[in-house]
Amino acid sequence: MDSIQLAKYLEQTNSITKPWLLVQLRLKKLQERKDSMSEVDYVQELEDIRQDLMNLGEWWVGIEDEVF
């Protein structure tokens, strides 16, 4: 699945509000651009995505049935 297909899936399933899926979309887009980026830029963007993922924390605790 490429980033366009993933984005369409997120829209069709009303998953655009699920932050962990938006992280997945960002990772997919980064993967697709990797060959056209410098290693430094790639690592910097990857670290930015990782930090955003870590910032999500455990927001899902107690509502697992609703969000997963």
Side-chain angles (χ1 to χ4, degrees):
M1 179 180 291
D2 65 18
S3 62
I4 294 172
Q5 292 170 321
L6 180 56
K8 286 180 183 178
Y9 170 79
L10 294 177
E11 288 176 352
Q12 291 172 352
T13 59
N14 200 26
S15 298
I16 204 76
T17 60
K18 297 177 179 175
W20 67 93
L21 292 177
L22 295 177
V23 168
Q24 185 176 354
L25 179 60
R26 287 178 64 197
L27 283 171
K28 179 52 81 175
K29 286 184 167 207
L30 180 60
Q31 178 186 27
E32 292 170 354
R33 295 179 316 166
K34 182 179 180 180
D35 293 337
S36 66
M37 300 175 72
S38 72
E39 185 175 337
V40 171
D41 289 339
Y42 175 78
V43 170
Q44 186 176 7
E45 280 200 46
L46 187 60
E47 174 57 29
D48 184 50
I49 294 170
R50 186 197 72 80
Q51 187 58 52
D52 287 347
L53 180 61
M54 293 298 104
N55 289 342
L56 292 177
E58 294 186 357
W59 59 269
W60 45 265
V61 173
I63 56 171
E64 296 89 344
D65 291 339
E66 296 173 36
V67 295
F68 296 114

